[in-house]
Every structure is written in structure tokens, then in C-alpha cells.
Amino acid sequence: MPMTLNRVSVPVTVDEDACIADKGCTVCVESCPLDLLAIDLLKKKAFMKFDECWYCLPCEKDCPTQAIRVDIPYLLR
Amino acid sequence: MSDMFAEVDVLVIGGGTAGPMAAVKAKEKNPALKVMLLEKANVKRSGAISMGMDGLNNAVIPGHATPEQYVKEITVANDGIVNQKTVMAYAQESFNMINQLDRWGVKFEKDETGDYAVKKVHHIGTYVLPMPEGHHMKKVLYRQLKKARVEITNRYMATRLLLDANGAIAGAMVLDTREGTFGVIRAKSVILCTGAAGRLGLPSSGYLFGTYENPTNAGDGYALAYHAGAELSGIECYQINPLIKDYNGPSCAYVTGPFGGYTANSKGERFIECDYWSGQMMMEFYKELEGGNGPVFLKMDHLAEETIGTIEHILHSNERPSRGRFHEGRHLDYRQGMVEMHISEIGLCSGHSASGVWVDEHAATTVPGLYAAGDLACVPHNYMLGAFVYGQFAGQSAAEYAMSHELPAVDDVQVEAERKRVLAPLSVVDGLPPAQVEYKLRRFVNDYLQPPKVTKKMEIGLDRFAEIRADLDSMSAANPHELMRAMEVHFILDCAEMAAHASLYRTESRWGLYHYRVEHPEKDDADWFCHAQLKKNEAGEMTCFKRPIEPYIVELDDEEKDAYNRLRVVKQAEAA
Ligand SMILES: Cc1cc2nc3c(=O)[nH]c(=O)nc-3n(C[C@H](O)[C@H](O)[C@H](O)COP(=O)(O)OP(=O)(O)OC[C@H]3O[C@@H](n4cnc5c(N)ncnc54)[C@H](O)[C@@H]3O)c2cc1C
Ligand code: SF4
Ligand code: SF4
């Protein structure tokens, strides 16, 4: 069936200067109970891949460099 | 990728709260057993307590409450429909469990003399024990898992249980959520600890994952147990909670109540006597919300500065720490305004109300070798401490069962059918995205199943669900993550159908708002003072039947029986 790509704003922002995924860190990817975060293989930085957030904050709390900021998803902000 | 294959003695599915405890206790019972803890997320940060917890809602501590008092309280709060033996078994073990958690390093609030500082929130007794430093809960559990040498398997999701030729447990079939591959785990006994059915109703924000419950818990265990032929109970007794409007956290009256905060109407007046969550309380909440004095608020603006500071510290650091950010975005300060509240989407959860897989006081389900603990096991109002206590019972019972049984043979027919079902969405090209199917399904849940429950609406709902069932084969998954979500849609649909059938079956109203049937507005003890059970019959159909209530072991007098029916504040003038 025909498909389209809708844009959505996601609640998780990664500060790419602070993120050390290029040094092998995957802490936030392992923490997220909903498995929403991934490492961009080209940029070697973490990013939010799926907009299915419980705004529970383990990703932010566990990040060793405080690179993550979780906002309340726009729909309920 | 080749299939995962493992053989264990005890398989624990779900590593949130009850699961880690069950796994540790099975190992303690017999360290020689191979015990595997299977978790959809990562046990370090999974489940309802991923960020910790604000407190124990149901601590039965000598000097503050007795097990008998607690059994009475829950019997009344759950409108009489309880197997008191299961509640008593919890209550008698409650204090031991608190002491054990205390030894393990969980920090509870204590007074100057070192005693637990228990607070009154319930209508009759005193059971709430705050944990102002409750955010380290998962670390404490993880340490015990490592110590007990439990085998941990993260990022795998159970999709169906495996049965032997006699209908006893033989293991589980699983999906590797990162690789999108199928697997089989043979086990002598299985413990279900997969939490609530939290993705049933759609939050009014429309955001699929903005649910009260941790949305990893899509009702997996309810569906797993159902398809294995287990009996479920009280599914019609939904979970509906009073929450901050738009935000999915409790406000939370349990935390603020002991400090002087309370639930109020738009005039700032108290309208309920007691903030303990029950169907009866939710009914008053709903009436006020919809009535001329609505909406409903949590009032704290009358409290002293340092009290508010303390409340903020607890509410904004444990359990749901993004709460502070939400208020900030809405420019709300507890000192200056009341917090607008609303009611949550519906869910199934025995941790909060009573819907779950039927278990006895040893956490055994009706399927040989299958045990259940936590939010999905039917022990009313069991909360976090109940999940720990029943996790312990389940771990011990499942270990004993495994010690006296051989590993059953694997039925290839079941395995092949399940492999086909689970992997199907990967080979559908340009099919329906699971998120769209889920959105539609859960919107129908809101439209047709949410109380007040109307017969015709629920019947239409079942028709819509049948249409969605026909759509399941058209779902496609573009990656392993979407495949996990597609399988969850199957679980949610099972739960939606269970909720509709169970609600239609009980032709009376009970538990306040949880089961308010418009055409049958009265409680009918003559016909319905019984458990309503649900299971899959031999023909594969969903059937409901009655199960008599075991004779009470703690009797209630008439005054006590009525306690939760008198929750509305009676104004002086009216009372005179
Ligand atoms: C926001 C909130 C606040 C609460 N506040 C309190 C409180 O203050 N005091 C209190 O006593 N109680 C509180 N509760 C209730 C308490 O947290 C729960 O009753 C308890 O934690 C339930 O434990 P559980 O093990 O059943 O579920 P969970 O801890 O949620 O664990 C279920 C686990 O199963 C996993 N899982 C699900 N499906 C599968 C599958 N198919 N395969 C593998 N794994 C799977 C999940 O990832 C999850 O880790 C609160 C609950 C919530 C949601
Ligand atoms: S935890 Fe922090 S540093 Fe590590 S990958 Fe994630 S964002 Fe980057
Ligand atoms: S806030 Fe929670 S759900 Fe959202 S990305 Fe972080 S860990 Fe995942």
C-alpha cells in the first residue's frame, strides 16, 4: 500500500559535542526500557530513533557525560 | 541469524519488580537449579520501578497494622471480591520482606528511634511507608541477581508459552527484539512477571506511550497465560487512576496527603474523605470531574514553604522525575496554584485494582508448572511490596516444581506455528505500520470500553476488534523494533477482547467506576458475589464463568463492609 514519511519532533536531545559514543559508549542505548535510542553509525553519536518515550529519564541519569536532555513530548507539554 | 535455543529449570519472564525477586528466591531454594531471567528491556532499568519508587503503599508493620486488619481493608476496598487467603499470605510476609529489603540496602523512612515511619492514607488502617531515597531500587535488585548467579537474558520478549501433551508448561517461545529472530527456551517451570496491561486505553493526549504504566508492559503476560489455557479473574475490574492532567504521573496524594495536601474541586474544597485509590474513590472523582464543581485538583498551595520544598524533592526526583519539568512547562508552582487532575486511560493491573491471572497463595496458576507474580497476578491492590512477596512465593514454588519434574518434550507443531506468526510481519511488504494499528485499536478501547460501560457500545467494540484482528496479517515490520511492537499489538488486542467479554459478563455494577454498568447500576450480591473468571475453552473461544468466593478467614462487620461506600465528604449543613 502507498506510504509516506511524516515528520515528528522527538523528546530526546543529544548534545553531540558531549556524547562519547565514538569512544564506544552505548550506556543510554542499554538503559532505555523502550529501546528507543541508537548510535548513528556515520556520526558515531547517540540519537532518538523512535518516538515512543515514557519520559522516565534513565537515559539522562545514566549518561556519563550528561549529553542527554529529555523534554516532555510536545503533545502533552 | 540462527535461532536462540536454551534449556533451563526455571524460566522467569519479566525482570522488573517481581521477576528479579522470583529468580533470586528460586536460586536460594536450590542453587543447583539453572534459573534464567528473561527481560524485554534491560533488568538494570526495566519495569514500573525503573527510576525507583516514592514509597510502599501497603506495608503491614507490627504496631501500625495487623495482617487481619489489612485483609479487612483490602476486602472492603475491593468490594468483597477477594480470595482472602491470598491477601493474608501477602500480609503475613509483608514485614519480613520489608526487613529483607532494608538489609539489602533499600532506604525506608524511619523516625528518631529507628522505627519505620508509617503514614495513614487508607480509609481504615495505616500502611504507607515513604522511601524518600527510593531511586536506587533497581541497583539493589541487580546486586542480588548477580550474587545469586541468575542467568540474565536482556532484550528478549516472550511471545507464547510452550505446553506439553498434557497441557503442562514446557517453556516459552521468544523474539530477539534487537535481531528480529525467533527462539525456544525449554523449562520445567515458568514464572510470569510481565507487569500490567498498560497499553490498553489511549491517554487523552493521544501519545501512545504516555501511559500511566511503563509502556513496555503491553499486557504480554495476560495474553501468554490466556493462550496457555490459564484462568484469569476480575478482568472487568479495570485499573483507572487519578493523574495529573496530561502528565502520566500520580500527583501524588499518597506522598502529599501525610503532609496536608489533598484532592479538591475547583472551589478548593475537599470532596472525598480518603485519597486511597479504589473504584469507589474514582467514582466520586469522576462525578466531581464531570460535575459543576469540576475539574479536580490536588491542593498544596496552603502548605508551608519547607513542606512544599520537601514534597517537591520527593516528587521531582523519584519514580516519575520528569514531573517537575512538566509543571515548569505549564508554569505551575505548587505554592501558587492547584495541580489540575484527570483520570487515566483504562488498564488491567492487579497491583492497583484486581484484574489478573488467577493464582493461589503459592503463586500457582491453574496451568501445571506456571506461576505468576506482580501486577498481572490476581491478588488485589498488591502494589510493589506485593510484587516482591509474590515474587518470592513464585520463585520458591517454581523451584520445587522443577525439582520434581523432568524437562517435557518440545512439540514441533507449536514451535513452527509460532515461528510463522512471529516472523510474518517481516515478510509483508509495505503493510500496515504497527503504530497505526495500535492507535486505532486503543482509540476504540477508549470509545467503547471506558466506563460508564454501556452494553451496546461494548458489543460494537467487539465488532471493531474483530476487524482489527483481520488486519493483523497485513501488518509489516521494517526492522526488529517494529516487529516487537507488532507482537505487542497482538497482546493488546487479546486484552481488549478480554476486557469487553469480562465486562459484558458481569451484569451488575461493582468497584465504583471500575465496573460501572449503566444498565445495571446496582450491586447485586445475590447473583454476583463471586469471582468472574475468563479462559480459552477447548474450542479456542473466550469464555467466562463464575468461581465461588472461598469462605472468609477474617469476618467483617456491617459497618466495616460499608466503609468504602461512604467516601464522599458530607457537608455540615446537609448532615444536620
Ligand atoms: C508510575 C507508577 C507509580 C507507582 N507508585 C507506587 C508506589 O509509590 N508504591 C507502590 O507500592 N507501588 C507503586 N506502583 C506499583 C508498583 O510499581 C507495581 O505494582 C510493581 O512494580 C509491579 O511489579 P511487576 O514486576 O509486576 O511489573 P514491572 O516491574 O513493570 O515488571 C514487568 C517487566 O516485564 C517485562 N516484560 C513485559 N513483557 C515482557 C515479555 N513479553 N517478555 C519479557 N519481558 C517482558 C517489562 O519490560 C518489565 O521489566 C507504581 C506504579 C507506577 C507505574
Ligand atoms: S550515554 Fe551519553 S555519552 Fe554514552 S552514547 Fe548515550 S548520549 Fe552518548
Ligand atoms: S526518557 Fe525513558 S523512554 Fe524516553 S528515551 Fe529516555 S529512557 Fe527511553
Side-chain angles (χ1 to χ4, degrees), chain B residues 104-120:
Chain B
W104 283 1
V106 175
K107 292 198 185 74
F108 297 107
E109 189 164 314
K110 295 190 179 160
D111 62 20
E112 314 76 47
T113 61
D115 287 336
Y116 296 117
V118 196
K119 316 273 185 214
K120 184 166 164 65

Side-chain angles (χ1 to χ4, degrees), chain B residues 152-381:
Chain B
I152 297 169
T153 305
N154 288 320
R155 304 288 174 192
Y156 273 81
M157 156 191 194
T159 60
R160 281 281 189 274
L161 296 173
L162 199 53
L163 299 176
D164 75 4
N166 302 317
I169 278 299
M173 292 171 283
V174 300
L175 170 69
D176 179 334
T177 66
R178 292 244 168 112
E179 301 292 339
T181 53
F182 179 78
V184 173
I185 300 172
R186 295 179 65 191
K188 294 175 183 167
S189 56
V190 170
I191 307 173
L192 288 175
C193 299
T194 54
R199 262 164 53 215
L200 187 54
L202 182 65
S204 46
S205 66
Y207 192 66
L208 282 173
F209 290 74
T211 50
Y212 169 74
E213 290 292 340
N214 184 327
T216 41
N217 301 338
D220 311 30
Y222 289 76
L224 291 169
Y226 171 76
H227 289 291
E231 214 170 295
L232 291 99
S233 186
I235 298 296
E236 70 282 15
C237 180
Y238 297 168
Q239 163 179 231
I240 305 171
N241 298 329
L243 301 181
I244 297 172
K245 171 87 168 55
D246 293 348
Y247 183 77
N248 56 359
S251 240
C252 164
Y254 293 6
V255 171
T256 56
F259 291 105
Y262 58 88
T263 311
N265 59 24
S266 61
K267 296 178 176 159
E269 293 166 350
R270 227 182 249 273
F271 64 95
I272 34 177
E273 296 269 4
C274 157
D275 281 327
Y276 179 66
W277 294 1
S278 64
Q280 297 86 325
M281 180 273 201
M282 280 313 300
M283 185 60 133
E284 298 304 339
F285 192 104
Y286 171 76
K287 284 186 192 157
E288 204 74 1
L289 192 67
E290 300 295 321
N293 290 332
V296 171
F297 298 88
L298 185 75
K299 186 168 157 56
M300 290 177 278
D301 53 6
H302 57 291
L303 301 177
E305 170 59 35
E306 69 252 41
T307 311
I308 293 189
T310 310
I311 292 174
E312 276 178 342
H313 174 71
I314 302 172
L315 288 184
H316 301 175
S317 66
N318 282 339
E319 199 176 291
R320 299 296 292 144
S322 55
R323 192 178 318 190
R325 263 168 230 188
F326 172 78
H327 290 318
E328 211 177 288
R330 295 278 171 100
H331 313 291
L332 179 87
D333 183 331
Y334 295 162
R335 292 158 191 83
Q336 270 129 37
M338 301 192 293
V339 184
E340 188 190 351
M341 297 182 67
H342 200 66
I343 54 181
S344 69
E345 69 284 350
I346 66 165
L348 308 178
C349 176
S350 195
H352 291 83
S353 56
S355 23
V357 179
W358 181 258
V359 289
D360 66 10
E361 64 277 20
H362 307 291
T365 71
T366 55
V367 173
L370 182 63
Y371 300 82
D375 282 350
L376 95 159
C378 182
V379 182
H381 298 231

Side-chain angles (χ1 to χ4, degrees), chain A residues 14 19-21 25-28 39 46 63-65 67-68:
Chain A
V14 177
C19 174
I20 51 167
C25 182
T26 56
V27 167
C28 57
I39 309 294
C63 171
T65 64
I68 291 196

Side-chain angles (χ1 to χ4, degrees), chain A residues 12 32-34 36-37 48 53-59 70:
Chain A
V12 169
C32 176
L34 289 139
L36 309 179
L37 307 171
M48 183 169 227
C53 187
W54 196 42
Y55 30 105
C56 48
L57 311 194
C59 56
V70 180

Side-chain angles (χ1 to χ4, degrees), chain B residues 261-566:
Chain B
Y262 58 88
T263 311
N265 59 24
S266 61
K267 296 178 176 159
E269 293 166 350
R270 227 182 249 273
F271 64 95
I272 34 177
E273 296 269 4
C274 157
D275 281 327
Y276 179 66
W277 294 1
S278 64
Q280 297 86 325
M281 180 273 201
M282 280 313 300
M283 185 60 133
E284 298 304 339
F285 192 104
Y286 171 76
K287 284 186 192 157
E288 204 74 1
L289 192 67
E290 300 295 321
N293 290 332
V296 171
F297 298 88
L298 185 75
K299 186 168 157 56
M300 290 177 278
D301 53 6
H302 57 291
L303 301 177
E305 170 59 35
E306 69 252 41
T307 311
I308 293 189
T310 310
I311 292 174
E312 276 178 342
H313 174 71
I314 302 172
L315 288 184
H316 301 175
S317 66
N318 282 339
E319 199 176 291
R320 299 296 292 144
S322 55
R323 192 178 318 190
R325 263 168 230 188
F326 172 78
H327 290 318
E328 211 177 288
R330 295 278 171 100
H331 313 291
L332 179 87
D333 183 331
Y334 295 162
R335 292 158 191 83
Q336 270 129 37
M338 301 192 293
V339 184
E340 188 190 351
M341 297 182 67
H342 200 66
I343 54 181
S344 69
E345 69 284 350
I346 66 165
L348 308 178
C349 176
S350 195
H352 291 83
S353 56
S355 23
V357 179
W358 181 258
V359 289
D360 66 10
E361 64 277 20
H362 307 291
T365 71
T366 55
V367 173
L370 182 63
Y371 300 82
D375 282 350
L376 95 159
C378 182
V379 182
H381 298 231
N382 224 8
Y383 288 97
M384 179 175 59
L385 198 58
F388 285 137
V389 169
Y390 267 81
Q392 168 176 317
F393 295 161
Q396 291 164 342
S397 306
E400 269 168 32
Y401 185 95
M403 280 145 67
S404 59
H405 288 78
E406 295 299 315
L407 203 56
V410 173
D411 171 13
D412 289 333
V413 178
Q414 283 175 55
V415 173
E416 282 323 304
E418 182 59 358
R419 182 199 311 276
K420 203 165 151 244
R421 184 184 78 95
V422 169
L423 300 181
L426 289 176
S427 39
V428 177
V429 183
D430 277 350
L432 290 165
Q436 260 184 318
V437 182
E438 178 172 341
Y439 186 91
K440 186 168 167 180
L441 167 58
R442 291 172 57 192
R443 182 182 54 83
F444 284 146
V445 167
N446 283 17
D447 291 351
Y448 296 112
L449 302 190
Q450 215 165 232
K453 301 182 184 176
V454 177
T455 305
K456 189 67 196 166
K457 278 201 198 172
M458 292 190 283
E459 288 167 358
I460 298 173
L462 280 170
D463 289 343
R464 294 289 91 83
F465 299 153
E467 288 156 13
I468 290 188
R469 194 163 282 287
D471 288 341
L472 294 181
D473 289 342
S474 317
M475 265 195 301
S476 71
N479 51 51
H481 184 85
E482 267 197 5
L483 186 58
M484 162 170 74
R485 295 286 176 250
M487 287 304 111
E488 289 170 346
V489 172
H490 285 244
F491 291 146
I492 299 169
L493 182 56
D494 288 337
C495 290
E497 288 181 343
M498 286 192 243
H501 279 290
S503 295
L504 282 165
Y505 182 63
R506 188 181 277 278
T507 48
E508 63 150 2
S509 287
R510 198 176 284 268
W511 306 292
L513 186 64
Y514 298 164
H515 184 65
Y516 171 43
R517 283 201 64 176
V518 180
E519 299 101 316
H520 308 279
E522 300 299 325
K523 182 151 79 179
D524 175 6
D525 274 333
D527 275 337
W528 289 104
F529 185 72
C530 60
H531 302 282
Q533 310 295 93
L534 178 150
K535 71 178 282 191
K536 186 158 136 177
N537 69 12
E538 261 86 74
E541 295 151 350
M542 208 172 265
T543 50
C544 295
F545 54 97
K546 293 180 180 180
R547 191 191 246 268
I549 291 175
E550 296 269 328
Y552 283 171
I553 50 178
V554 183
E555 277 307 328
L556 286 82
D557 63 36
D558 289 342
E559 171 102 354
E560 288 164 338
K561 272 185 203 158
D562 209 32
Y564 275 75
N565 295 330
R566 289 181 270 105

